[in-house]
Amino acid sequence: MSGRPKGDQHHIGLLNGFAAYGMWGLVPLFWPLLKPAGAAEILAHRMVWSLAFVAVALLVIRRWAWAGELLRQPRKLGLVTIAAAFITVNWGVYIWAVNSGHVVEASLGYFINPLVTIAMGVLLLKERLRPAQWAAVGVGLAAVVVLAVGYGQPPWISLTLAFSFATYGLVKKKVNLGGIESLAAETAIQFFPALAYLLWLNAHGTLSFAQEGAGHATLLASTGIVTALPLVCFGAAAIRVPLSTLGLLQYLAPVFQFLLGILYFHESMPPARWAGFALVWLALALLTTDAWRTAHRDRATAAALRRNSAAATPADAARAAATPADPAGAASPADTVEA
């Protein structure tokens, strides 16, 4: 990063962000190619081959010190195991949903994920929300009710995807590992159960990897690349563009998935489903507008502080240093929650 101008870095970050969310948005086109493998076999291959891919990547970049540190921290290793369990649920439900004709409902899960993340912040972390965030959560709940009435049951695919991914993100925040390292740790935990399942399928003669030819086997092996490559691009974007920009880019994936569900897979959209999606989009508009305004205000405040600091005389600085801080004026962590 150090050798390039700031503008170039931002441009590279945006390209990587578009690439990451674009690949996540178009991945529903990939899973049907793996039939006749079932969702469980595809999931197992994804775990096994993802570990192979990230192991090669770690060998190339020679980044192994974190593994020894992780093994010496049982609590952190336990959190990684929990994260691996929730992302397993998320991956498995998503693959099954796409290959069972529920692409639109799967896209809804990632539309409502930011709302679930905020709700979990309030319930579990005791965070305080701004009025616009409360309004967004309320509209999101109304959307779920409308969709439940329209479906005749709660949209369990969407809710499972949203809650599993939100919980996964919450746990990963506590683990605090880099993208490649985190994926390596999680897939290492997933590897042996996944390999055992594949060997069990093979012993019963139902492993499609061994029966459908070299092309099919190659596609199954490429699930590792399909899993890891967007994460690599996301990592490159995350260090080059502001979080507010990433917050906007994240909606690209469910938008692409939604459009694919309607235009390519020709899934039905009855009026109740349109109404539910419209409420979800309204909630996201409220959330995004509030986050954008807050980020703009924070940047303006930081710029003003820098200007005041640059204009202050040494005597002013000495007086400021000698003045006790006012706790009531300090910003609380809950005031800086990103959407």
Side-chain angles (χ1 to χ4, degrees):
M1 277 184 65
S2 57
R4 292 179 179 271
K6 187 175 180 180
D8 287 350
Q9 290 297 331
H10 185 77
H11 183 67
I12 292 171
L14 282 177
L15 289 177
N16 276 281
F18 277 111
Y21 287 109
M23 283 186 279
W24 280 324
L26 296 176
V27 77
L29 296 173
F30 177 72
W31 303 125
L33 300 178
L34 304 182
K35 293 178 178 180
E41 183 184 346
I42 295 171
L43 176 62
H45 278 290
R46 187 175 189 179
M47 295 171 178
V48 168
W49 295 108
S50 293
L51 180 61
F53 182 90
V54 294
V56 171
L58 289 170
L59 281 173
V60 171
I61 62 178
R62 298 180 180 180
R63 195 185 298 168
W64 291 102
W66 62 272
E69 296 173 5
L70 179 62
L71 291 173
R72 290 191 294 270
Q73 301 178 64
R75 180 180 177 276
K76 199 169 185 178
L77 187 59
L79 289 173
V80 172
T81 303
I82 294 171
F86 277 100
I87 200 61
T88 297
V89 172
N90 186 271
W91 286 357
V93 171
Y94 185 76
I95 293 168
W96 176 86
V98 170
N99 283 0
S100 301
H102 299 285
V103 176
V104 169
E105 192 174 349
S107 75
L108 176 64
Y110 294 106
F111 275 125
I112 66 176
N113 177 68
L115 301 172
V116 172
T117 299
I118 288 177
M120 291 178 67
V122 173
L123 296 175
L124 301 179
L125 305 180
K126 308 302 180 185
E127 294 175 346
R128 291 177 295 155
L129 300 187
R130 296 182 291 273
Q133 292 175 314
W134 276 116
V137 172
V139 173
L141 287 173
V144 172
V145 172
V146 169
L147 289 164
V149 172
Y151 281 112
Q153 62 180 8
W156 70 268
I157 294 174
S158 307
L159 294 175
T160 302
L161 290 173
F163 276 92
S164 61
F165 199 74
T167 306
Y168 171 71
L170 180 66
V171 176
K172 276 177 69 73
K173 186 175 181 180
K174 293 181 178 296
V175 172
N176 194 27
L177 274 178
I180 293 180
E181 293 89 344
S182 179
L183 182 63
E186 291 157 18
T187 50
I189 291 168
Q190 296 167 331
F191 178 81
F192 288 107
L195 182 62
Y197 178 69
L198 293 176
L199 292 174
W200 181 84
L201 288 179
N202 187 56
H204 287 76
T206 56
L207 183 70
S208 69
F209 183 84
Q211 298 177 357
E212 299 294 328
H216 180 70
T218 302
L219 282 173
L220 285 170
S222 68
T223 54
I225 299 174
V226 170
T227 299
L229 190 57
L231 284 173
V232 173
C233 292
F234 175 79
I239 61 175
R240 290 177 171 88
V241 299
L243 284 176
S244 56
T245 303
L246 280 180
L248 292 176
L249 288 176
Q250 73 174 330
Y251 298 131
L252 285 176
V255 165
F256 286 167
Q257 293 165 13
F258 176 77
L259 292 175
L260 282 174
I262 295 175
L263 302 176
Y264 183 81
F265 293 103
H266 304 293
E267 295 183 16
S268 63
M269 283 292 292
R273 185 177 287 189
W274 277 115
F277 268 85
L279 286 172
V280 169
W281 293 331
L282 173 60
L284 294 179
L286 290 171
L287 207 59
T288 303
T289 302
D290 176 72
W292 190 266
R293 286 176 178 171
T294 302
H296 180 74
R297 182 189 65 202
D298 291 346
R299 285 195 295 268
T301 301
L305 288 173
R306 286 195 297 269
R307 287 194 300 270
N308 292 339
S309 176
T313 65
D316 293 331
R319 280 195 297 272
T323 302
D326 178 11
S332 70
D335 292 330
T336 58
V337 173
E338 289 284 346

